[in-house]
Amino acid sequence: MKNFILDVDGVMTNGQFFYDKNGKTHKIFGADDSDGLALINDMINIQFVSADKRGFDISKKRIQDDMGYKINLVSSKERFSWIKDRYNPQDCIYMGDGFFDNLIMEKVGYSIAPSNADIKAKNAADYITERSGGDRAVAEACVHVLNKFFG
C-alpha cells in the first residue's frame, strides 16, 4: 500500500462538535494518534480529508499546523473521485466512520473503521479497531497497518 487516507471527524475525533453562540468552537482529538501515525509516516503517504466546512479551521489547526499532515476539504459525495483523481484506489488504505464511507471502502485496496463507526462502514471495512474514533483508534490502525503491510 502506498497511501493512507483518513477521514477526520469520527476517526481522529470522537465525532462530536461543540457550539456556543458564536458557532462551532471545539472538537475532541484523541491521544496517541499522532504517535501512531509517526510509526508509519516514512513508509506511506498520509493524507486527511474532511467535509466539515464550518469546522475546517479547527481540523486544519490540529492536523496540518500541529501534526504536519496535509488536510483536504472534500465532500463525502466527491471523496472517491478525489481519491481516484490522485491515486490508484487499489494502492490506498481508507479509514472512515461515516454513513457514506462504505461506498469508498468498497472501492479501495484496504479499509479500516473505528469500533463506533456507522454499521455500513463497519460491514465494508477489512479491519475494525477495538478503539473508538477520538480514543486512539488511529494509533491502533497504524500498528495494524505496520504489521500487515510493512511487518
Side-chain angles (χ1 to χ4, degrees):
M1 290 294 161
K2 297 179 181 178
N3 307 290
F4 190 16
I5 301 163
L6 301 94
D7 185 19
V8 175
D9 295 308
V11 174
M12 288 293 290
T13 75
N14 67 359
Q16 296 177 331
F17 305 132
F18 293 88
Y19 279 81
D20 67 14
K21 65 182 180 178
N22 298 313
K24 193 179 291 185
T25 59
H26 295 81
K27 296 181 182 189
I28 295 176
F29 288 84
D32 299 325
D33 289 338
S34 181
D35 293 335
L37 289 162
L39 292 173
I40 61 173
N41 185 45
D42 292 338
M43 300 171 209
I44 194 166
N45 172 42
I46 298 170
Q47 294 279 321
F48 287 88
V49 290
S50 175
D52 183 19
K53 290 179 187 175
R54 287 179 289 198
F56 190 74
D57 287 342
I58 299 168
S59 297
K60 183 178 178 286
K61 171 68 176 133
R62 174 64 179 141
I63 303 297
Q64 192 163 307
D65 299 347
D66 295 348
M67 293 172 44
Y69 295 101
K70 178 77 173 137
I71 184 170
N72 305 276
L73 186 61
V74 184
S75 74
S76 299
K77 183 171 99 173
E78 298 168 349
R79 201 158 285 175
F80 183 71
S81 294
W82 182 90
I83 292 169
K84 195 170 74 171
D85 289 347
R86 286 157 181 76
Y87 312 109
N88 175 349
Q90 291 306 304
D91 290 336
C92 294
I93 301 167
Y94 180 80
M95 185 169 181
D97 71 303
F99 189 71
F100 295 111
D101 284 330
N102 65 298
L103 301 174
I104 299 161
M105 293 171 154
E106 295 165 354
K107 297 176 185 174
V108 295
Y110 197 78
S111 58
I112 301 172
S115 64
N116 62 333
D118 177 78
I119 190 68
K120 288 183 180 183
K122 290 198 293 189
N123 287 340
D126 294 300
Y127 179 76
I128 302 169
T129 64
E130 292 182 21
R131 297 282 196 153
S132 296
D135 184 29
R136 298 178 174 96
V138 172
E140 180 186 335
C142 290
V143 171
H144 174 76
V145 167
L146 180 65
N147 292 332
K148 180 163 184 69
F149 296 103
F150 304 103

